[in-house]
Amino acid sequence: MTDDRGYSPIGPDSAYSDASIYVDAEAAPRVLGRLRDALGLNKEDGAELTVGPVRVYGAPNDYSTGRHAHPSDFLQWPTVLECEAPSGAPAEVVQAVTAVLEALWHGGFKAVAACGFEDELPARGGTDRYPLPSPSEGLSQVRMGRWKSLLVRGGKKKRNSA
């Protein structure tokens, strides 16, 4: 039995087991390199980073169409960082994803996290920093209603099915 502040293992169906961070930057390796430097991580980690209990790797965003979109329509941003937490406590995962987001923001990147715990992250995972456009600003009403469901289904799940 654990309390809210104690150790609580993360299961595969936990809201804390993964997060996707959409980044408005080309070239995931460049983003990861800048993150590695900003967080003072080992340069020998290769194509993925380890931040606390979270593994972070980057990929092109499969939802990006390449068309000009509203600057805050993060579903169109070209890079997505997948964050997986196979272990650890929820508080440790939140702390790790917070560190990644803040390093990106301090490095000049626009980034928004999409996950089951975004309300526990600074600026609600970035959505307060980069609010979604209203329908009059270019995002259709249908898409506004579906954006979160797309995020939940998106990310690595779409890439792994290919």
Side-chain angles (χ1 to χ4, degrees):
M1 184 166 168
T2 62
D3 65 344
D4 289 340
R5 297 176 190 262
Y7 178 79
S8 175
I10 295 177
D13 295 330
S14 169
Y16 297 91
S17 65
D18 60 44
S20 296
I21 300 176
Y22 291 82
V23 184
D24 191 10
E26 297 288 340
R30 180 177 71 91
V31 174
L32 288 173
R34 298 264 306 270
L35 263 177
R36 184 176 283 113
D37 293 342
L39 295 171
L41 299 174
N42 185 352
K43 295 190 186 303
E44 305 300 316
D45 283 344
E48 71 179 45
L49 308 174
T50 302
V51 181
V54 177
R55 285 185 10 223
V56 181
Y57 58 94
N61 179 5
D62 292 339
Y63 289 109
S64 180
T65 62
R67 293 189 305 245
H68 180 46
H70 187 281
S72 293
D73 185 4
F74 61 89
L75 287 177
Q76 294 295 314
W77 292 352
T79 296
V80 64
L81 301 180
E82 297 295 353
C83 303
E84 296 178 347
S87 64
E92 294 172 317
V93 174
V94 170
Q95 183 179 10
V97 174
T98 294
V100 171
L101 276 173
E102 289 180 341
L104 289 166
W105 295 335
H106 291 296
F109 291 104
K110 287 172 44 179
V112 173
C115 56
F117 55 94
E118 58 204 27
D119 288 343
E120 298 176 54
L121 298 169
R124 288 188 15 213
T127 57
D128 287 348
R129 292 175 67 113
Y130 313 105
L132 285 172
S134 69
S136 65
E137 293 173 331
L139 193 62
S140 75
Q141 189 65 31
V142 172
R143 186 141 175 227
M144 290 250 334
R146 293 181 356 118
W147 75 270
K148 191 153 185 150
S149 67
L150 289 171
L151 293 175
V152 171
R153 290 193 322 244
K156 66 180 175 291
K157 292 170 184 70
K158 181 177 179 186
R159 277 186 281 291
N160 286 343
S161 66

